[in-house]
């Protein structure tokens, strides 16, 4: 293990919920829950104000509503989150060539590899500067952990939450870990934790005292050896730079099981087109088409077909997915469908391997913005009004300017008109088909030149207008 705390772990604070609070002045300091709003939806992120009521990620949304009935419940804006995540990742890549993203809001950085830090003092300065730069560029806060290993850096960032910095000095690791619960260690989930508890092992210190042989007896060879090493603060895992994607896929979960075979086929076709759009946006193609079906009884089936060469042709992917669907019994109904492409390449071989019959489409069929859909990965409702006006998403009115959807139903949509840099705005209600109201792109959280002029201003901005990090040239593009 290293002799200096030069591995940094960054974890953005309640990322999705914090983005929503920064976008919406009326929600700052209030409970915000982001996730699927349908009957089968789950919480993606809860603000710290919502966590006071016991709401946390991966919780069923119905339970979250019971615990925090007065919170704001919003549908995720993943495209916007990705654009902000890319701003943060660019700051990290300026520190080192070795950046290992774990998700949109979390990453490891090897500061030594980039020459950014050599000892505890320089590492602390880098961490403090990074937190300041993140706030300047995004308006958000992140927590930083610094240590001599990845495991300890992650533990340190957890201790730093929210909006803090914790550095673990080499030589103090075991004293720090000793009193911590065993669930602190990576790889110790509820089942392993319960197994250890029944054996009388509750803390990391007790885990180390039990000895390697006892842990192997209790947990098996691989897990026992690994946990014993972690209990002694041994972690030699390197920071690995971002790997190339191995597959591209999309899936939807439905609020109500789908039984009609024709409708299932149409959903698979739509998912295939969405998957191809993602492929093309990434400049990729693939050889293997994968269909995923989760049935009414929660059994999950996957079927795949490998083509003679890589493709990004929507007709080819649609036809292959349809053939795969033919081999699946959906009599009892389905609750989830997914289409993916693997065996990725950065080129295609066009008609040499095309397997689609009849006329070939020139490009992926675009889904109409207002078309009602049966469901989504976040479990949103299927009614046309809900699909057109998801709660929390951005809109623009010809008279009132930029705002966001507070809710919709019964043919009406309620909008609060405010921007990231305005005062909390006023609320108005419209017909869902009001011609003056239309979906809009999110506004930047931090001004980069001329800002939006408020709820009734004319300068809207977009998610693509991002701020440059200190000392960097401004950049625009989708994250």
């Amino acid at each position: 293990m290293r002799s200096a705390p030069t591995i940094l772990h960054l974890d953005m604070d309640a990322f999705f919920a914090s983005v929503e609070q920064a976008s919406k002045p009326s929600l700052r300091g209030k409970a915000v829950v982001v996730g699927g709003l349908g009957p089968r939806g789950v919480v993606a992120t809860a603000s710290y104000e919502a966590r006071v009521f016991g709401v946390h990620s991966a919780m069923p949304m119905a339970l979250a509503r019971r615990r925090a009935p007065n919170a704001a419940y919003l549908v995720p804006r993943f495209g916007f989150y990705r654009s902000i995540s890319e701003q943060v990742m660019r700051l990290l890549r300026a520190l080192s060539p070795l950046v290992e993203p774990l998700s949109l809001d979390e990453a490891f950085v090897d500061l030594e590899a980039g020459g950014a830090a050599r000892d505890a003092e320089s590492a602390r300065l880098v961490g403090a500067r990074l937190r300041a730069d993140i706030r300047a560029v995004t308006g958000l806060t992140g927590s930083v952990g610094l240590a001599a290993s990845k495991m300890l850096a992650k533990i340190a960032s957890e201790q730093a939450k929210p909006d803090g910095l914790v550095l673990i000095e080499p030589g103090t690791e075991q004293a720090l870990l000793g009193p911590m619960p065993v669930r602190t260690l990576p790889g110790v989930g509820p089942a392993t934790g319960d197994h250890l508890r029944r054996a009388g092992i509750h803390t990391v210190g007790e885990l180390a005292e039990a000895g390697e042989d006892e842990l192997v007896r209790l947990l098996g060879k691989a897990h026992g050896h690994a946990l014993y090493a972690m209990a002694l603060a041994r972690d030699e895992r390197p920071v690995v730079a971002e790997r190339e994607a191995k597959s591209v896929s999309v899936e939807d979960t439905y609020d109500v099981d789908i039984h009609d075979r024709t409708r299932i086929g149409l959903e698979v076709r739509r998912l295939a087109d969405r998957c191809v759009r993602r492929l093309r946006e990434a400049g990729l193609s693939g050889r293997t088409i994968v269909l995923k079906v989760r049935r009414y009884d929660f059994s999950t089936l996957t079927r795949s077909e490998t083509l003679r060469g890589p493709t990004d042709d929507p007709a080819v992917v649609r036809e292959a997915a349809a053939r795969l669907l033919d081999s699946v019994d959906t009599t009892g109904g389905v609750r989830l469908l997914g289409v993916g492409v693997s065996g990725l390449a950065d080129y295609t071989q066009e008609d040499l391997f095309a397997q689609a019959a009849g006329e070939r489409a020139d490009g992926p069929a675009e889904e109409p913005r207002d078309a009602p859909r049966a469901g989504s990965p976040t479990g949103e409702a299927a009614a046309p009004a809900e699909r057109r006006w998801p709660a929390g998403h951005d809109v623009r009115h010809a008279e009132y300017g930029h705002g966001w959807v507070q809710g919709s139903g019964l043919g009406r949509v309620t909008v609060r008109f405010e921007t990231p840099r305005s005062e909390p705005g006023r609320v108005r209600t419209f017909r869902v088909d009001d011609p003056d109201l239309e979906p809009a792109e999110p506004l930047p959280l931090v001004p980069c030149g001329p800002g939006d002029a408020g709820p009734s201003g004319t300068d809207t901005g977009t998610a693509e207008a991002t701020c440059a990090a200190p000392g960097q040239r401004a950049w625009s593009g989708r994250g």
Side-chain angles (χ1 to χ4, degrees), residues 182-376:
V182 292
R183 290 288 304 275
T184 302
L185 299 180
V188 182
T192 301
D194 287 343
H195 193 53
L196 291 170
R197 178 180 52 78
R198 288 194 295 271
I201 299 173
H202 301 86
T203 68
V204 177
E206 290 170 346
L207 200 64
E209 290 173 5
E212 189 169 16
D213 292 341
E214 176 65 8
L215 295 181
V216 168
R217 186 187 68 80
L218 288 171
L219 305 172
K221 187 174 182 180
H223 204 183
H225 285 313
L227 276 188
Y228 182 69
M230 286 189 286
L232 298 180
R234 298 173 186 164
D235 179 17
E236 301 296 338
R237 293 174 299 158
V239 176
V240 180
E242 187 172 6
R243 299 180 178 91
E244 293 183 1
K246 290 182 170 58
S247 65
V248 173
S249 63
V250 296
E251 62 182 43
D252 277 356
T253 300
Y254 305 100
D255 293 340
V256 179
D257 292 345
I258 305 176
H259 295 82
D260 182 74
R261 186 75 179 188
T262 300
R263 184 178 168 193
I264 292 172
L266 290 173
E267 286 295 307
V268 168
R269 179 185 178 92
R270 180 178 60 79
L271 289 166
D273 288 340
R274 281 174 53 196
C275 185
V276 169
R277 284 201 293 275
R278 288 193 179 183
L279 272 178
R280 291 188 167 184
E281 287 170 359
L284 297 171
S285 60
R287 295 183 66 233
T288 301
I289 314 303
V290 181
L291 175 71
K292 177 179 178 182
V293 179
R294 180 165 296 149
R295 299 189 290 191
Y296 68 98
D297 59 356
F298 288 89
S299 61
T300 302
L301 305 176
T302 57
R303 299 287 185 269
S304 63
E305 176 180 321
T306 299
L307 309 176
R308 292 194 294 274
T311 185
D312 66 352
D313 188 306
V316 172
V317 177
R318 285 197 299 263
E319 291 272 335
R323 285 193 297 273
L324 295 170
L325 179 62
D326 288 341
S327 67
V328 178
D329 179 12
T330 60
T331 304
V334 300
R335 58 186 290 123
L336 177 147
L337 291 167
V339 174
V341 177
S342 60
L344 301 182
D346 57 3
Y347 66 94
T348 63
Q349 293 179 352
E350 298 301 338
D351 293 344
L352 292 176
F353 57 86
Q355 299 185 20
E359 183 178 354
R360 298 164 59 84
D362 292 332
E366 292 292 332
E367 186 179 346
R369 183 186 291 271
D370 298 341
R373 288 166 46 195
S376 77

Side-chain angles (χ1 to χ4, degrees), residues 394-398 401-403 417 436-440 454-455 457-460:
D394 298 82
V395 294
R396 172 157 284 277
H397 191 274
H402 192 94
F417 290 98
D436 289 335
L437 188 67
E438 61 182 5
T458 56
D459 184 4
T460 62

Side-chain angles (χ1 to χ4, degrees), residues 9-20 34 44-45 76-93 99-109 134 138 140-143 154 161 242 278 378 478-479:
H9 181 260
L10 170 71
D11 197 351
M12 299 296 290
D13 299 323
F15 184 51
F16 296 171
S18 294
V19 170
E20 299 300 341
V34 179
T45 306
R77 297 184 292 166
F78 287 115
F80 191 38
Y81 304 152
R82 278 192 292 271
S83 70
I84 297 171
S85 172
E86 182 54 33
Q87 292 177 273
V88 175
M89 295 302 166
R90 284 199 302 277
L91 289 171
L92 300 183
R93 294 185 192 108
V99 175
E100 183 178 343
L102 304 180
S103 61
L104 290 179
D105 61 341
E106 186 179 1
F108 287 109
V109 184
I134 289 172
T138 69
L140 305 176
T141 64
S143 296
K154 186 171 174 62
K161 282 187 166 295
E242 187 172 6
R278 288 193 179 183
T378 55
R478 290 192 182 275

